[in-house]
Amino acid sequence: MSPNEQILQYPLAYETALEPAAKWAELRGTCPVATITVPDGSQAKLLTRYDDVREMLADPRFARKDLTDGTTSAAADTSEPPFSVPKHGEEHQRWRRMVGRWFTAKRMAALRPQMTAIADQLLDEMTGRGSSGDLKAHFAFPLPVYVICDMLGVPAEDRDLFSYWSDNFLNLSRYSAQERQTAVGELVAYMSGHIAAKRAEPTDDLLGTLIEESSGEGEALTDAELLGTGIGLLVAGHETTANMIGKMVAMLLADRTRWERLLENPSLVRSTVEEALRFDANGGFGLRRFLTEDVEIGGEVLPNGTTVVCAMGAANRDETAFENAAEMDLARTPNPHLAFGAGPHSCLGQALARTELQVALEVLLRRLPSLALDIPATDLERLEGLLVGGLSKVPVRW
């Protein structure tokens, strides 16, 4: 059976936690628009070539599926909770403009000292327990949620609550449907009260700034939109960044020469972060979109209503877009990877994620130059159940 006639089970199989699916290269070469069966039993089309994935992400005919239209097939992206944030058209762009003003380079630079302080505190606690441990549990997982709590003006004593809620939202196997429903209710109740307090007494954090800046422009964000913004930041910005910190460090330690090169030349931290994002072969399910009209892509005409999954990890290994794509080049530039998507729905918080990854790497290099994996890289295990890709543990010694 030719690749074009196969119906593949998705997600695809991987041999090790850090290596790409062997099928990626074959699909890019011979079947760039493959037919797959997703976990709910429905079929979709999988894109693996860089140009096709980028085109899809930027094309308004590839839309997100609303969860309220009664669709139960793969076209219904049940990975996305129904937060009250505009998803389409001018309303979505209005929301992006208002929230995006907060994620400026100047604002991220201002956040760096506090991020660094949090990272140092976490390493103080981790190293105080001994000479080895799980980098993910003690450093990578708490760092982003602590940063997000600071951005939202959440007191430090409530950070653990937010860690639990975030994990509950995205882990499909650890918690029951009832536990997830309860967690959603708890977070909504907490954030609703939090927003009400900020309306009464404005602050200079993200929510306070959005309330103050939008109120004077005739396009104020509603409480529902503010709630969706706060919850969306937690859900989209915690697990993804936490898992990326763990994967990035594992990639660098899997080949010790990479870590040594960074110790010798810390100026490579920024380009290393971008290359880790590109090189990541464990990005999770991928982005699901559906067609609003017939579209030709990859030489195939896909009919209106087709569900399409774009594999950004596969696209980021495309030799037609990246020279020596199978090699991790810490100095690679330019690096137009698709880890944050592309087009009008690209990741709004990518400046924050980049800053967190850079700070995490800078602090680890400074504090733990002797850092090493405590098990062979081939023994690292993928995290099961999460919609975003990650490692279950990152055992290290120092």
Side-chain angles (χ1 to χ4, degrees), residues 327-398:
E327 301 298 323
M328 189 177 189
D329 179 0
L330 306 190
R332 187 185 298 274
T333 184
N335 195 340
H337 62 76
L338 300 174
F340 293 117
H345 292 279
S346 61
C347 177
L348 187 61
Q350 57 186 278
L352 173 63
R354 283 185 163 102
T355 304
E356 290 176 303
L357 290 166
Q358 291 166 12
V359 167
L361 187 51
E362 289 166 354
V363 173
L364 286 169
L365 289 165
R366 170 171 53 84
R367 293 284 305 273
L368 300 175
S370 62
L371 193 66
L373 286 175
D374 212 17
I375 61 173
T378 52
D379 289 347
L380 292 168
E381 297 180 356
R382 285 176 174 251
L383 187 63
E384 300 299 332
L386 273 188
L387 292 165
V388 295
L391 302 172
S392 58
K393 295 180 179 180
V394 184
V396 293
R397 63 182 184 275
W398 52 86

Side-chain angles (χ1 to χ4, degrees), residues 58-248:
D59 192 328
R61 295 174 296 177
F62 293 88
R64 298 170 70 170
K65 194 68 164 180
D66 289 329
L67 300 181
T68 55
D69 66 356
T71 304
T72 57
S73 72
D77 190 347
T78 54
S79 69
E80 299 182 48
F83 299 135
S84 297
V85 170
K87 291 184 173 66
H88 308 289
E90 177 53 36
E91 282 299 296
H92 175 74
Q93 292 306 314
R94 173 188 68 90
W95 173 80
R96 283 185 68 96
R97 283 194 303 270
M98 298 182 70
V99 177
R101 293 173 193 160
W102 207 87
F103 291 98
T104 62
K106 182 178 180 181
R107 179 82 67 170
M108 294 304 104
L111 290 175
R112 270 183 174 269
Q114 179 61 12
M115 286 185 194
T116 302
I118 293 172
D120 272 317
Q121 177 189 346
L122 289 170
L123 287 186
D124 286 342
E125 295 170 0
M126 186 178 80
T127 56
R129 298 184 182 98
S131 59
S132 63
D134 180 5
L135 187 77
K136 179 180 178 181
H138 301 305
F139 182 75
F141 187 82
L143 177 59
V145 78
Y146 288 6
V147 170
I148 290 169
C149 284
D150 279 359
M151 289 173 57
L152 296 176
V154 171
E157 57 267 25
D158 291 339
R159 288 169 171 172
D160 289 342
L161 278 174
F162 273 70
S163 294
Y164 168 74
W165 288 329
S166 174
D167 191 45
N168 202 306
F169 275 30
L170 287 172
N171 197 307
L172 301 182
S173 60
R174 183 180 302 169
Y175 304 100
S176 68
Q178 181 58 50
E179 287 174 318
R180 284 196 293 275
Q181 185 178 353
T182 300
V184 170
E186 291 172 349
L187 178 54
V188 167
Y190 182 102
M191 288 299 296
S192 297
H194 194 57
I195 290 167
K198 292 191 176 299
R199 283 202 182 278
E201 293 187 32
T203 53
D204 62 356
D205 52 52
L206 172 61
L207 293 177
T209 301
L210 286 175
I211 290 169
E212 183 175 1
E213 290 185 354
S214 66
S215 62
E217 299 181 6
E219 55 175 17
L221 293 179
T222 65
D223 279 1
E225 289 173 333
L226 288 168
L227 181 63
T229 300
I231 294 177
L233 178 62
L234 174 66
V235 173
H238 176 212
E239 291 276 4
T240 49
T241 305
N243 281 310
M244 193 62 224
I245 291 172
K247 289 183 291 185
M248 173 179 67

Side-chain angles (χ1 to χ4, degrees), residues 244-275:
M244 193 62 224
I245 291 172
K247 289 183 291 185
M248 173 179 67
V249 174
M251 289 180 222
L252 295 171
L253 296 179
D255 180 346
R256 185 70 193 182
T257 62
R258 298 168 182 164
W259 189 258
E260 297 292 344
R261 186 179 180 192
L262 279 172
L263 288 172
E264 294 170 4
N265 188 0
S267 68
L268 291 175
V269 162
R270 287 176 184 266
S271 60
T272 295
V273 165
E274 298 304 314
E275 181 67 344

